[in-house]
Amino acid sequence: MTAGSDHRPPTVPEGIPQLDAEARLPEADPPELLIITGMSGAGRSRTAAALEDLDWYVVDNLPPRMLAALARMMTPTGGGVHRLAAVVDVRSREFFTELVAVLDELRLQGTDYRIVFLDATDDELVRRYESVRRPHPLQGDGRLLDGITAERQLLAHLRRRADVLIDTTDLSVHDLARKVRELVAGESERPLRLTVVSFGFKYGLPLDADHVVDVRFLTNPYWVSELRHLTGQDEAVRDYVLGQDGASAFADRYVEAIAPVLDGYINELKPFVTIAVGCTGGKHRSVAMAEAIAQRLRERGQSVRTLHRDLGRE
C-alpha cells in the first residue's frame, strides 16, 4: 500500500454482515399469565401451591390494578419471570371491582392470559369453613351462607368469562394438584428431582432419606494402602469398587427396581426424592456407588444431582 493511500483493509470478513442479517434467532416461548380466582374456600391457595411446585412465579392476593404493571415485567426468556400466576379474589375488597377493567386493559396491550375459576357447592364450602372455624370474607355480621351468596353474585360475570372452570367439590388436595399439572404441563414436563447422597453409617443416616442403600457388602478400599487416601471420586477407587463381583449388577438392578417407585412418586405428586447410599465412613464405596446409580438414572432421563455428605470428614 502506497503512502497517502486512503485504502483501508476490511476489518470484517466479506459476507459476515449478510450472514448476520439472515441468521434467525431461536424463537422464544411467549410469557404465560394465569389469573387464579373463584370462590373462597374452593382451593385457590392449593392451586397456587401446585403452580409454585412447577416453578411458576405466584403472587397471592394481588390488587387488580397492579396486574397490568406486573404483566409488563414478564420476559420470554432469560432470568426474568415468564410464567406468572396471580391470585385475585374478593380479599382485595373494594379493589376487586377494578378487575374487569384491568382484564380489558391487558387485552388491549396484547397480553394473553387465562382465567382459572375455582368453585364448589355451597354445602361443601360451608363444611370447609366450619372445619377451619374462620369467617367468610364477605360474611360481615350475617351468616356464613350469606357471605357465600354475596360472593357468588359478585363473581358471576367472572365465572362466565373464565377459560378454565375447576369444580373442587369432590376433589382431594392431590386431585386438585393433578388437575393443575394437566392444565399447565404435559406428561414430559412433570418434574421429579432426585438427589443421590453418599454417607457414612458411623455418622448417622441422612434425615431426609426416602431410600437407603447399604453397600457395606463390598470390600472396603480403605484396607488397600494405595487407595486409602483417595475417595470414590477417584478413578482408581471407582474401578476397584465397581470392578468387584456383583457391584455393577447391583447398581443396574437397583435402578431397575426403583423405576416404578419413581413413577409412583410422580403420580402421588412427590417431586423431591432422596436416595442415600451408605458405607462405613462415606468416603470410598458409597461415593463410587452413588455416582454409578446417579449416572444410570440420568441415562433413563431423570434429573439427578449427587451429594457426598461425609466426604472429607475424616
Side-chain angles (χ1 to χ4, degrees):
M1 184 170 60
T2 59
S5 172
D6 291 334
H7 177 70
R8 297 287 187 273
T11 58
V12 178
E14 184 177 353
I16 293 298
Q18 182 178 354
L19 291 174
D20 287 343
E22 295 176 352
R24 303 181 70 177
L25 295 175
E27 294 185 4
D29 293 330
E32 297 180 71
L33 173 60
L34 284 182
I35 299 171
I36 310 300
T37 190
M39 295 295 293
S40 300
R44 296 185 310 249
S45 297
R46 295 292 185 181
T47 300
L51 289 168
E52 284 187 335
D53 289 343
L54 293 170
D55 292 329
W56 282 65
Y57 186 88
V58 179
V59 182
D60 192 14
N61 197 14
L62 183 72
R65 67 174 62 176
M66 298 179 62
L67 188 56
L70 196 59
R72 286 194 292 269
M73 297 171 61
M74 298 174 66
T75 59
T77 59
V81 175
H82 56 278
R83 298 203 300 178
L84 170 67
V87 182
V88 184
D89 52 65
V90 296
R91 289 175 297 169
S92 55
R93 303 295 177 177
E94 63 271 12
F95 298 119
F96 184 74
T97 58
E98 303 172 348
L99 181 57
V100 173
V102 171
L103 293 176
D104 292 338
E105 179 185 346
L106 287 173
R107 291 293 189 207
L108 289 175
Q109 72 181 33
T111 301
D112 194 20
Y113 61 84
R114 286 184 291 170
I115 300 175
V116 180
F117 193 99
L118 283 298
D119 203 353
T121 64
D122 288 356
D123 289 347
E124 179 63 16
L125 293 176
V126 169
R127 187 191 67 78
R128 293 176 186 178
Y129 266 101
E130 288 182 343
S131 67
V132 296
R133 299 182 180 180
R134 296 190 61 190
H136 188 280
L138 299 184
Q139 181 175 344
D141 296 329
R143 300 179 304 154
L144 177 58
L145 197 56
D146 294 334
I148 293 174
T149 301
E151 186 176 30
R152 284 208 184 279
Q153 294 173 351
L154 183 62
L155 297 180
H157 67 288
L158 196 56
R159 191 180 193 277
R160 291 192 296 268
R161 191 167 177 167
D163 300 283
V164 179
L165 175 63
I166 301 177
D167 187 339
T168 67
T169 302
D170 299 317
L171 298 183
S172 68
V173 171
H174 296 306
D175 291 335
L176 176 56
R178 289 190 187 94
K179 281 191 172 291
V180 173
R181 287 172 180 265
E182 293 169 1
L183 173 65
V184 301
E187 291 293 313
S188 62
E189 296 178 287
R190 297 188 301 173
L192 184 65
R193 301 172 189 176
L194 299 176
T195 299
V196 181
V197 55
S198 68
F199 72 98
F201 276 97
K202 69 180 183 179
Y203 301 116
L205 291 173
L207 294 177
D208 58 347
D210 297 295
H211 299 265
V212 176
V213 180
D214 186 353
V215 296
R216 290 176 293 183
F217 68 93
L218 297 170
T219 302
N220 193 348
Y222 178 85
W223 303 113
V224 180
S225 58
E226 295 85 358
L227 302 178
R228 180 175 299 181
H229 67 288
L230 302 176
T231 75
Q233 292 180 313
D234 293 304
E235 184 177 358
V237 173
R238 182 171 63 250
D239 291 346
Y240 180 89
V241 172
L242 298 178
Q244 296 180 39
D245 290 343
S248 291
F250 173 81
D252 292 337
R253 292 171 185 173
Y254 177 77
V255 171
E256 289 177 6
I258 203 172
V261 178
L262 300 181
D263 291 339
Y265 284 148
I266 292 176
N267 293 332
E268 291 302 312
L269 309 180
K270 177 179 171 58
F272 301 100
V273 179
T274 298
I275 300 171
V277 182
C279 63
T280 303
K283 180 178 180 180
H284 297 107
R285 294 167 291 178
S286 63
V287 174
M289 186 60 72
E291 294 286 355
I293 290 173
Q295 181 57 36
R296 285 160 172 76
L297 288 168
R298 292 188 188 101
E299 291 170 356
R300 287 174 170 258
Q302 298 288 356
S303 175
V304 188
R305 67 168 183 161
T306 55
L307 295 175
H308 303 297
R309 189 193 72 176
D310 298 326
L311 202 58
R313 194 161 181 173
E314 291 184 349

